[in-house]
Amino acid sequence: MPEARRIAIDDMIAKTAQGNREAFDALYAATSARLYALCLSILKDRPEAETTLERLYVALWQGSAGQPPQGAAALQWLTALARYRAIERLRARQAGTSSGEGARKAGALAAVPAEIEGSAAAPILSDLDEAQAEAIRDVFLNGLTYADLALRENVAVDDLRHWMRGALLRLRN
């Protein structure tokens, strides 16, 4: 990103937190499409992605989201915030699967790997053992972090990273 654009986004964030409506509109126009696409790719649910993004922009407007760290690229900071919020929402959804709405959404999310199994990805994932294929699905489709997966599998995070790297290299080859 050109330096001038980075500085402009930094300025828009600062002015937005101070209640400047024009800065907010400009920030939204410059960043919302990218951040929405990211939220949607994690959540796989349009209304949830929209709500997550709306809450991020409200936090920016109220100043409660903070400011990018000194020297950090503002768009990368916003992207990290959106990703974090989407993953937190996904985790909350998964934790609340006992409710009717949570169960419906969990069922819809569980259908995603099934669709992928029936697609061109199926032969690729079939090259892995079932545990590795499931781990790849959980991390890259369901938004699980390596730490969450390591906890579930009762292994050290570094060991899991090494194991996942091996699986990804097998897929690449």
Side-chain angles (χ1 to χ4, degrees):
M1 174 187 312
E3 182 70 15
R5 183 165 182 227
R6 185 189 69 76
I7 291 170
I9 292 177
D10 283 341
D11 189 48
M12 286 182 243
I13 292 170
K15 288 180 179 177
T16 293
Q18 297 168 355
N20 183 315
R21 180 64 187 199
E22 292 81 24
F24 178 81
D25 291 343
L27 178 65
Y28 186 85
T31 61
S32 62
R34 172 183 253 173
L35 299 181
Y36 174 72
L38 173 66
C39 291
L40 184 59
S41 73
I42 292 169
L43 293 166
K44 312 278 191 271
D45 182 87
R46 289 183 187 276
E48 276 193 302
E50 291 166 358
T51 300
T52 301
L53 194 60
E54 177 184 348
R55 289 181 179 168
L56 172 63
Y57 282 106
V58 167
L60 289 167
W61 177 257
Q62 295 172 341
S64 61
Q67 294 289 315
Q70 189 66 25
L75 188 55
Q76 289 175 344
W77 176 76
L78 281 174
T79 302
L81 282 179
R83 181 180 181 279
Y84 171 79
R85 286 172 179 260
I87 289 172
E88 286 300 307
R89 190 164 180 96
L90 182 64
R91 287 180 182 155
R93 178 199 313 163
Q94 291 170 341
T97 57
S98 61
S99 71
E101 181 179 338
R104 178 184 58 80
K105 289 181 181 175
L109 190 61
V112 172
E115 290 172 12
I116 287 179
E117 290 299 332
S119 72
I124 296 169
L125 291 175
S126 69
D127 289 343
L128 300 175
D129 63 53
E130 184 54 38
Q132 287 178 322
E134 182 181 350
I136 296 291
R137 279 187 222 99
D138 285 343
V139 170
F140 293 100
L141 298 175
N142 298 335
L144 226 60
T145 65
Y146 280 4
D148 292 336
L149 188 58
L151 185 62
R152 184 182 82 191
E153 299 296 325
N154 198 27
V155 296
V157 175
D158 287 341
D159 292 341
L160 180 89
R161 286 182 197 276
H162 179 74
W163 183 71
M164 288 287 288
R165 186 172 189 277
L168 292 171
L169 287 174
R170 283 183 57 198
L171 285 177
R172 186 177 75 182
N173 293 333

